[in-house]
Amino acid sequence: MLFRLLKAERMKLKRSPVWLAFLIMPIIPAFLGTANYVYNQGVLTKEWISLWTQHTLFTDYFFLPIMLGVYCAYIMRLEYANHNRNKLFTIPASRAAIFLSKLITAAVMLVLSEIWICALFVISGHIVGLENPPWGTIAAWCVFGTLGGMVTVSIQILFSMFLKSFALPVGISFAGGLSGLVFLAKHLGHIWPYSLMSYGMNANAPQELTQTGYAGFVIVCTAYIAIFTFIGAVIASRMDI
């Protein structure tokens, strides 16, 4: 049944305007980050790493949190239109499976966004004359950033489930991204849920994740995802039609 629910979610998003956000929004921080790198090369001397810090400065704290907020809000918003939620809850599937299908759908969109962001990063590097991208490092940044982003997705799906407004969950996600910057500045980015995406992508601090340990990061992210998924599944199972 879960696979059928996932197929239904994919069909709902097939011609969705949300893909415009997917395509266009990452281009803006890529442009801003590249321009910032070009105009500050006297200070930013670590080439690919320096370029990455400038890209993630704009992506992780502003644009990607908004994108994830939009993804999750849109996925849930479809069910509030024309009483679709009531129809959805009458199908022969558990509420937990329905919630999980939406969480997985948002997670897939996150993965695609990370791939697009990293592609734009490599393209930007070649445009400014950098050579030999550190593919292994880039892959690690994307993988751990995706894991941290999954924490944000699990929270945002939860908020979007019981907040009928489209804008409010997006605003919460944006505020969460800004709060992540504050907690990272206080060296608490490894424990604050909205900091984990930036922390995993090594935004502005390429050495910090290595120092604190990958295993600890994975454990914290997995625990948060499990907790918020469990809460969401329980709430969904108790919602009235």
Side-chain angles (χ1 to χ4, degrees):
M1 180 55 71
L2 179 60
F3 291 106
R4 292 183 179 179
L5 290 170
L6 289 171
K7 184 178 180 180
E9 293 296 330
R10 181 178 62 82
M11 292 176 65
K12 292 176 187 177
L13 293 173
K14 191 172 183 180
R15 292 182 176 84
S16 167
V18 78
W19 294 111
L20 290 175
F22 166 80
L23 289 172
I24 296 173
M25 289 189 68
I27 296 175
I28 301 172
F31 174 79
L32 294 174
T34 303
N36 206 36
Y37 171 78
V38 169
Y39 287 116
N40 293 278
Q41 283 184 295
V43 178
L44 303 172
T45 58
K46 295 183 179 180
E47 297 188 338
W48 286 103
I49 291 178
S50 295
L51 180 63
W52 179 258
T53 62
Q54 300 312 298
H55 274 228
T56 53
L57 173 65
F58 296 100
T59 300
D60 287 358
Y61 304 127
F62 304 102
F63 289 90
L64 192 50
I66 293 174
M67 288 172 61
L68 297 183
V70 168
Y71 293 163
C72 296
Y74 185 83
I75 288 170
M76 286 297 184
R77 182 63 181 171
L78 292 173
E79 310 308 338
Y80 286 107
N82 301 319
H83 304 288
N84 287 337
R85 193 187 74 174
N86 294 348
K87 299 174 185 176
L88 180 66
F89 282 175
T90 59
I91 66 174
S94 68
R95 304 282 182 82
I98 292 172
F99 177 83
L100 187 60
S101 69
K102 293 186 177 295
L103 178 64
I104 293 173
T105 300
V108 170
M109 297 176 78
L110 166 64
V111 171
L112 294 176
S113 296
E114 286 281 357
I115 293 172
W116 178 223
I117 287 167
C118 288
L120 288 170
F121 167 66
V122 174
I123 292 170
S124 299
H126 286 304
I127 289 174
V128 299
L130 300 182
E131 298 178 352
N132 301 319
W135 293 111
T137 303
I138 294 172
W141 288 336
C142 291
V143 169
F144 288 107
T146 300
L147 182 60
M150 271 298 301
V151 177
T152 300
V153 166
S154 63
I155 300 173
Q156 289 303 130
I157 282 287
L158 182 58
F159 280 134
S160 298
M161 182 172 61
F162 60 83
L163 294 175
K164 294 184 179 181
S165 166
F166 179 86
L168 185 55
V170 176
I172 291 172
S173 190
F174 175 64
L178 294 179
S179 72
L181 178 60
V182 175
F183 277 83
L184 280 169
K186 294 182 179 295
H187 302 289
L188 296 172
H190 60 293
I191 59 173
W192 178 244
Y194 280 101
S195 296
L196 292 170
M197 180 169 61
S198 303
Y199 196 82
M201 292 180 76
N202 283 319
N204 265 358
Q207 76 290 344
E208 198 162 348
L209 180 58
T210 304
Q211 292 175 349
T212 56
Y214 295 100
F217 177 80
V218 172
I219 291 170
V220 171
C221 289
T222 303
Y224 272 129
I225 294 168
I227 290 169
F228 291 122
T229 301
F230 175 77
I231 293 172
V234 170
I235 293 176
S237 66
R238 297 180 179 180
M239 293 180 74
D240 295 328
I241 296 178

